[in-house]
Amino acid sequence: MEKKDKKYTLKVKGKEVEVNEEIYRAYIRPVQAEQRQKRRVWKCRVLSKSGNYYVRCTKKCETCPYYLAGNSALGNVTSLDRLVDCEVEIEDKNSDFEADYIEQQTIKEEYAELHKVIRQLTSRQQEIVKMIYFEGKTQKEVAKVLGITQGAVSLALAKSIAQLKFLIKK
């Protein structure tokens, strides 16, 4: 078939339109370049025969053991769709969202109750509890700040804890 006899057609809005070779090539060239680029990107990179550099794989992906193992040329692991197709369970059985939420809410309620009963202590007891349990100070540091002995801080703290236990049990 000669070049003059060859017909060039493009699909425009679903209809085939006959065009000359120059228009056809101008339209098709970027489309083909994009297709080649996509094929290059999706091909695996393998070591060359000399082992000095990487080259693009020339084999068909459908026969490649790397591809058949669920990997792609971009190094991505198996997709979730492929796992579902292979009947792999995706759900995390160890995670119980409802139980975790209930536990978090319970902890919040307990903290709220604790803060409520701490407010019922005397201001001095509140100050000692705050410095030791919320600011992380030692009894010696608290004694120095308040200008009392460590034994007095220890006694006040023991009384405060006993009173908190009593108030919480109410």
Side-chain angles (χ1 to χ4, degrees):
M1 186 175 204
E2 292 182 26
K3 270 191 166 183
K4 292 181 181 181
D5 295 342
K6 190 168 182 178
K7 291 184 179 181
Y8 297 96
T9 59
L10 297 174
K11 274 198 173 184
V12 179
K13 295 184 181 179
K15 295 182 181 178
E16 288 194 8
V17 178
E18 191 172 326
V19 295
N20 63 23
E21 182 180 2
E22 184 181 349
I23 292 173
Y24 177 80
R25 294 206 185 277
Y27 177 81
I28 288 297
R29 190 172 294 125
V31 172
Q32 289 175 336
E34 184 179 341
Q35 290 171 345
R36 280 192 305 274
Q37 175 65 22
K38 282 183 181 177
R39 282 193 301 271
R40 275 195 304 271
V41 167
W42 282 99
K43 286 290 186 177
C44 295
R45 294 180 63 152
V46 294
L47 275 175
S48 65
K49 290 182 181 179
S50 65
N52 296 334
Y53 55 92
Y54 283 94
V55 294
R56 295 284 178 193
C57 179
T58 57
K59 298 176 184 171
K60 290 188 179 253
C61 291
E62 292 77 20
T63 61
C64 176
Y66 180 75
Y67 176 80
L68 293 174
N71 300 307
S72 74
L74 299 178
N76 297 331
V77 294
T78 305
S79 71
L80 291 176
D81 294 333
R82 184 164 167 99
L83 289 173
V84 170
D85 292 343
C86 295
E87 298 178 6
V88 174
E89 287 289 328
I90 298 174
E91 182 181 344
D92 185 5
K93 300 286 185 184
N94 297 331
S95 181
D96 187 3
F97 296 110
E98 186 176 356
D100 292 344
Y101 177 77
I102 291 170
E103 184 179 344
Q104 289 173 357
Q105 293 303 317
T106 305
I107 289 170
K108 283 182 183 178
E109 290 171 6
E110 289 173 351
Y111 277 133
E113 180 67 24
L114 179 62
H115 287 283
K116 182 179 169 187
V117 295
I118 287 175
R119 285 192 295 273
Q120 294 178 13
L121 297 173
T122 66
S123 60
R124 184 142 178 124
Q125 289 174 324
Q126 287 180 27
E127 193 173 1
I128 292 171
V129 168
K130 178 184 165 197
M131 284 193 272
I132 291 178
Y133 290 106
F134 295 95
E135 295 175 5
K137 293 185 178 179
T138 64
Q139 289 183 5
K140 194 179 249 184
E141 292 171 332
V142 172
K144 189 174 182 181
V145 169
L146 297 177
I148 57 175
T149 65
Q150 183 180 346
V153 171
S154 181
L155 184 62
L157 186 60
K159 285 183 180 180
S160 300
I161 292 172
Q163 191 172 356
L164 287 173
K165 286 180 180 178
F166 174 76
L167 291 171
I168 288 174
K169 287 183 183 178
K170 270 187 169 182

